[in-house]
Protein backbone atom coordinates (compact mmCIF):
# COMPACT_ATOMS: atom_id res chain seq x y z
CA UNK A 1 0.00 0.00 0.00
CA UNK A 2 2.89 2.36 0.81
CA UNK A 3 4.55 1.77 -2.54
CA UNK A 4 1.28 2.34 -4.38
CA UNK A 5 0.75 5.54 -2.39
CA UNK A 6 4.27 6.71 -3.31
CA UNK A 7 3.70 6.04 -7.01
CA UNK A 8 0.35 7.86 -7.00
CA UNK A 9 1.84 10.85 -5.16
CA UNK A 10 4.78 10.91 -7.58
CA UNK A 11 2.58 10.71 -10.66
CA UNK A 12 -0.32 12.87 -9.56
CA UNK A 13 -0.19 14.88 -6.32
CA UNK A 14 3.37 16.18 -6.70
CA UNK A 15 3.71 15.81 -10.48
CA UNK A 16 4.83 19.43 -10.94
CA UNK A 17 7.57 18.98 -8.33
CA UNK A 18 8.66 15.44 -9.22
CA UNK A 19 11.14 16.38 -11.90
CA UNK A 20 13.06 13.12 -11.62
CA UNK A 21 11.85 9.60 -12.24
CA UNK A 22 10.64 7.54 -9.34
CA UNK A 23 13.69 6.43 -7.37
CA UNK A 24 14.60 4.24 -4.45
CA UNK A 25 15.86 7.27 -2.52
CA UNK A 26 12.55 9.08 -2.91
CA UNK A 27 10.61 5.91 -2.10
CA UNK A 28 12.64 5.34 1.09
CA UNK A 29 12.18 8.99 2.15
CA UNK A 30 8.46 8.71 1.44
CA UNK A 31 8.18 5.54 3.52
CA UNK A 32 10.04 7.19 6.41
CA UNK A 33 7.76 10.22 6.20
CA UNK A 34 4.75 7.90 6.24
CA UNK A 35 6.14 6.22 9.35
CA UNK A 36 6.62 9.63 10.98
CA UNK A 37 3.04 10.56 10.10
CA UNK A 38 1.80 7.30 11.60
CA UNK A 39 3.75 7.93 14.81
CA UNK A 40 2.27 11.45 15.06
CA UNK A 41 -1.19 10.02 14.39
CA UNK A 42 -0.85 7.38 17.09
CA UNK A 43 0.84 9.77 19.52
CA UNK A 44 -1.93 12.37 19.25
CA UNK A 45 -4.57 9.66 19.71
CA UNK A 46 -2.87 8.19 22.79
CA UNK A 47 -2.21 11.62 24.29
CA UNK A 48 -5.78 12.82 23.84
CA UNK A 49 -7.37 9.60 25.11
CA UNK A 50 -5.19 9.66 28.24
CA UNK A 51 -5.61 13.38 28.97
CA UNK A 52 -9.37 13.51 28.44
CA UNK A 53 -12.20 11.09 29.12
CA UNK A 54 -13.76 10.92 25.67
CA UNK A 55 -17.12 9.23 25.43
CA UNK A 56 -16.48 8.58 21.76
CA UNK A 57 -12.95 7.72 20.64
CA UNK A 58 -13.67 8.96 17.12
CA UNK A 59 -12.80 12.56 18.04
CA UNK A 60 -9.20 11.89 19.17
CA UNK A 61 -8.87 9.44 16.30
CA UNK A 62 -9.92 12.10 13.79
CA UNK A 63 -7.54 14.65 15.33
CA UNK A 64 -4.70 12.12 15.19
CA UNK A 65 -5.46 11.37 11.55
CA UNK A 66 -5.50 15.10 10.76
CA UNK A 67 -2.15 15.67 12.51
CA UNK A 68 -0.56 12.68 10.73
CA UNK A 69 -1.93 13.80 7.38
CA UNK A 70 -0.50 17.30 7.80
CA UNK A 71 2.93 15.89 8.73
CA UNK A 72 2.85 13.51 5.74
CA UNK A 73 1.95 16.29 3.32
CA UNK A 74 4.51 18.76 4.63
CA UNK A 75 7.37 16.25 4.63
CA UNK A 76 6.39 15.01 1.17
CA UNK A 77 6.12 18.55 -0.16
CA UNK A 78 9.31 19.99 1.33
CA UNK A 79 11.58 16.94 1.56
CA UNK A 80 10.58 13.97 -0.59
CA UNK A 81 9.28 15.66 -3.74
CA UNK A 82 11.06 19.01 -3.56
CA UNK A 83 12.50 20.44 -6.73
CA UNK A 84 16.24 20.21 -7.18
CA UNK A 85 16.78 24.00 -6.98
CA UNK A 86 15.00 24.35 -3.60
Amino acid sequence: AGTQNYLINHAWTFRTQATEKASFRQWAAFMLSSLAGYCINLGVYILLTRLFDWQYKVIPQALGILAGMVVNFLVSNYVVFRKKNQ
Side-chain angles (χ1 to χ4, degrees):
T3 300
Q4 180 180 358
N5 197 7
Y6 164 72
L7 292 171
I8 290 170
N9 275 286
H10 187 274
W12 186 30
T13 307
F14 298 103
R15 69 179 167 263
T16 58
Q17 291 174 234
T19 55
E20 61 185 57
K21 292 182 180 180
S23 68
F24 179 77
R25 185 201 64 77
Q26 267 191 346
W27 174 83
F30 183 81
M31 295 308 259
L32 286 173
S33 75
S34 295
L35 181 61
Y38 171 72
C39 290
I40 297 292
N41 178 344
L42 187 60
V44 167
Y45 173 77
I46 290 171
L47 182 69
L48 290 177
T49 55
R50 294 203 180 166
L51 287 178
F52 305 103
D53 185 30
W54 299 88
Q55 181 178 3
Y56 302 106
K57 302 288 189 225
V58 71
I59 296 170
Q61 187 176 27
L63 294 172
I65 290 169
L66 180 64
M69 183 178 65
V70 168
V71 168
N72 278 339
F73 177 78
L74 292 175
V75 173
S76 290
N77 191 37
Y78 293 110
V79 177
V80 178
F81 296 107
R82 70 171 188 212
K83 290 184 179 180
K84 291 282 187 184
N85 58 0
Q86 288 183 346

